[in-house]
Amino acid sequence: IDRGSDNSWRISLNEATLPRLVINRPYLVELRDGCRDRTSRAWLKEKLEDARWLIRALDQRQKTILAVASEIVTQQQGFFLHGVSHLRPLTLKQVAEKIEMHESTVSRVTSNKYMGTPRGLFELKYFFSSHVLTNTGGEVSSTAIRALIKKLIADENPRKPLSDNKIAAILAEQNIKIARRTVA
């Protein structure tokens, strides 16, 4: 993923990692010429259809990955523009409904697939997280909350570290109500 000249996001697959399958035409012609009986021709026809099916299936898989990645980018604009603290709660079901596919398909597509972004390399599963309700009725991604806690800890005075209660209180000031034990 990268930004286009018009500031829109451009999403593409890494062509270097994709399997490139084609039917070798000269070899196919040679095989056809060698098929003298009906059984051989039927076998060759079956294998040719199998090969075409596999090529179509791989093409569909690539289109599905692009559709899922595009929807993730659409849903997570804040993250791509401002960082992890702007990561929104997002479920597989929400993406599945938007792209009109089954949730299990989205789950398979996001497993062990990565997105290179201006903010680094992320597994597609990274963009999905549960949510915590805010005091004002909104939602915050649990991943964004972890990032806030991590930043608070990184910025604390090592001689006087923040207590779990204090971290929970700081988050409460930002309308994020979580228990001290959750912070721990």
Side-chain angles (χ1 to χ4, degrees), residues 149-163 167:
I149 293 171
K150 188 175 181 178
K151 181 169 179 9
L152 288 171
I153 292 170
D155 293 346
E156 72 186 357
N157 180 347
R159 294 180 189 267
K160 190 176 178 195
L162 297 170
S163 69
I167 292 172

Side-chain angles (χ1 to χ4, degrees), residues 132 142 145-146 149 164 167-168 171 177-184:
V132 173
S142 58
I145 293 171
R146 279 193 299 276
I149 293 171
D164 295 342
I167 292 172
L171 293 173
K177 185 165 174 52
I178 60 174
R180 180 218 44 91
R181 67 183 177 278
T182 304
V183 172

Side-chain angles (χ1 to χ4, degrees), residues 33-99:
D33 291 347
C35 290
R36 306 257 186 253
D37 59 89
R38 178 177 283 177
T39 306
S40 297
R41 284 190 301 270
W43 177 85
L44 181 59
K45 183 179 178 182
E46 178 187 339
K47 298 307 170 194
L48 186 57
E49 283 306 310
D50 288 348
R52 287 181 177 143
W53 177 88
L54 180 59
I55 291 169
R56 282 192 304 271
L58 288 172
D59 182 58
Q60 183 59 45
R61 179 177 182 263
Q62 292 170 11
K63 288 177 182 171
T64 302
I65 291 169
L66 274 175
V68 169
S70 294
E71 187 57 29
I72 288 171
V73 170
T74 299
Q75 294 289 330
Q76 298 292 7
Q77 283 287 327
F79 168 82
F80 293 105
L81 294 172
H82 307 292
V84 71
S85 63
H86 288 80
L87 197 62
R88 294 183 47 215
L90 184 63
T91 64
L92 295 170
K93 184 177 181 178
Q94 288 172 304
V95 170
E97 287 173 354
K98 280 288 201 178
I99 64 173

